[in-house]
Structures are given as structure tokens and as C-alpha cells.
Amino acid sequence: MARVQISVDPEIVQGLFQRDDGLAKLVESVLNQMLGAQVAEQLGAQRYQRTDERQGYRNGVRERTMKTRVGALCLEVPQVREGVFSTELFGRYQRSEQALVLALMEMVVNGVSTRKVKRITEELCGTSFARSTVSDLCRGLDQTVGAWNSRDLGGQATPFVIVDALVLRIREDGQVRPASAFVAVGVTADGHRQVLGLMLGDSESEDSWSTFFAWLTGRGLKEVDLVVSDDHAGLVAAVRKHFQGVVWQRCQTHLSRNVLDACPKALHAELRSRLRGIFEAPDAQVARVLLEETLSQYGARAPRAMERLEAGFDDVVAVLALPQPYRRLLRTTNGLERLNEEIRRRERVIRIFPNQAAALRLLGALLMEQDDIWTTERKYLDMTSYWEWRAATNTTQPAQRGNAA
């Protein structure tokens, strides 16, 4: 698209600081100008411009509401005579909304809806809709999400990978069954985050995780140095199988919860402080000294908690082998869990997915949107120091730099 000259009404700028919807009005104004510029580019002429290159004529506008994070926007979508004005402006922000509505619609046509669900879909989609309409809409969105989820990952190295799973309820053959949704997020060689992929499995078994990891590596995932995850037996076994020699970092947040769950509540505050000291130690040697002090002081008062801490110590401080700037964001799965919470917020509306395709569609659309955002925003990590550190180690074997999987 050609460069667009954006102008902002002074009243809108003033309202930015005086009105609750000031930011929404600003975004609305900018997007409407972009739509006007896009239709001019598509028609080959500005409004009222006489030119031999003109490809058609305007035919007014159609108002359309788009819900965004800054509020509801009233957009003026241009209409053209003897043709259709096409824009990708809505696609990025509306895929997840489409997936959510389609899941609700599928619940209705499959006869598993409640009155509340039927009322919601009628308000969103009209008074009625046919099964064929739902199928057509699903097919288009499935192709978009499917193409993204199976894209080639071989463009560059992905040194850091964070994985997690969440349990969904899906209706199959008339019965509601649990299913695990496996999600992987990576930090690429240039420091951007990206969603690597989504897959459904029967459970968090080693076989299911192995299938997921094999699928990722088959799509080109390469040069992984660190995998961050919770301490699930099947997951860890699959990491060791498919990422041999790669450092495995156990999520510090999950270990902290496991340790605190096994000690008296009266000790929680002081033991939490002790754990923070261990996790934030300058290196593994200092962390080991702090561990021994903690074991000595709390061994008699919280023996089960100390057993868990000692057993998980080596894996939970593996990240200390990395340069200091990279430890805070790679020592837990918190970033991925925040993404999972956004999924849960939508999933709670559905409660029970009508089929696996609906689950993949909704989760995939949400992850696709997040991937778009991460790709276009500032880098998650500045990788300059990391690659300098890698070069200084004079080795390509991650196992020599920390606790290898």
C-alpha cells in the first residue's frame, strides 16, 4: 500500500486527554483515513479525480463496528460500484472473534446449545443461520489458521523455546472428553517472540509431547539452546528425547509453589524470600551455597519442602548459565501462561467445544493474532550479548554451558 498522509483533528487530540473514549476516537480517525486511502489505491483515483487510470467509482460507505482493545470503533467501509472493495484491515483483529462466534454457532446447529448460547448467536449473526453457512465460514477460517499453524519455521534459529499445555473439554461421538492443547513459543535469533505452533493431544503423555516436538522440528525448528517448561514427567522425557544436549530449565514459579505447598504456612514468607535469593543468585555456585544454608535451616521444620527443593535445584537454576540479561524472562513459563489465560477467557464462553476443529480454530486464531502482534512490536530480547557470549564459549554444544536435557 502507498504511503498514507494522516491528519488528526485538533478536537480529537484535545479529547484524547479529556474523554474516556479519546484514544478510541483517535484510532477510529486514523483507520478511516487508511480505508479511504486504500480504496483510492484500489480504484486508481482519488475522490472526484478525473484520470484514465480509474478502475471504478465509489458508492458511499457502510458503517461497521470493530471491537478493539481501546474500545468499539465505528469504521466507514467504502463501497464501490460494479465491484467489491476488499481490505485486510479487519482480518488481524477479527479472526478470534469469528472463531468464537463460529464455535457458538456450531453448538447451536449441532443441538448442544443452551438458550443463552442461542440468544448470543442470534444477536451476533442475525435471527437465523443455516448449517451450510456455518460450514462455509468455518472452512475459510480453518484454511487461514491451518496455513499459519503449519508454516515453515526454518527461516532462522530459535535459541529459546517455552512450552506448556492446557486441558480443554471437547465433545466427541456424543461424549465430552478431555484433551490437551500443546503450545510452544520461541524467541528467534533476532530477539522476537513467535508462536511456534498448536496441537491437540489425548493427554500430556510422553508420546503426545513427542508427537508435538517431532512436528515442530519437522517444520524447521532448529538450533534450540534452552527449553523452558513445567516438571511434567511426560514432557521432560520428550524434551530429553527430541532436544538432546539442549539445556532444560524447570519453571521456577512452579517449583516455588510445589515447595511452599509442602511446608507450614507460617514459614511461607521467609521461605519465599529464601527461594528468591537462590533463583536470583549471580551464578550456580552461589546458588548452591544458598541452597545448603536453606536446607540446613529448614530441614527439620519443613522436611518435605526441602526434599522437593533439593531434588529440583539443578534444573531450576539451569538458566544461571546464561548471561544476566536473559535470565529473568527465561526462568519461568509465566509469559506463556499469560497467553494461556487469554485463551481461557474465551474458552470459558464456550465451556465445551462442539468438536476438535472448533477448538483448533479458536485457539489458533487467538495465537495467530498474538503472533502478529509480537512480530510487529519491539524485540522481546536484545540478542547481541547472547551471540557474543555464544561465540566466546567457542562451542556449539549447549550441554557444556549448563544443565543439559
Side-chain angles (χ1 to χ4, degrees), residues 58-79:
R58 299 172 185 251
N59 189 29
V61 297
R62 174 172 58 87
E63 290 190 352
R64 176 171 178 179
T65 299
M66 183 171 76
K67 293 182 179 180
T68 70
R69 298 184 183 187
V70 299
L73 310 181
C74 181
L75 301 184
E76 298 175 347
V77 182
Q79 305 296 290

Side-chain angles (χ1 to χ4, degrees), residues 1 7 87 189 243 344 367 379:
M1 183 175 178
S7 63
T87 177
F243 298 102
R344 285 294 188 200
L367 294 174
K379 294 179 180 179

Side-chain angles (χ1 to χ4, degrees), residues 159-181:
F160 309 133
V161 174
I162 305 170
V163 297
D164 198 8
L166 42 81
V167 178
L168 309 174
R169 293 189 296 169
I170 301 176
R171 192 177 300 276
E172 294 184 78
D173 301 324
Q175 294 184 329
V176 178
R177 306 176 188 273
S180 295

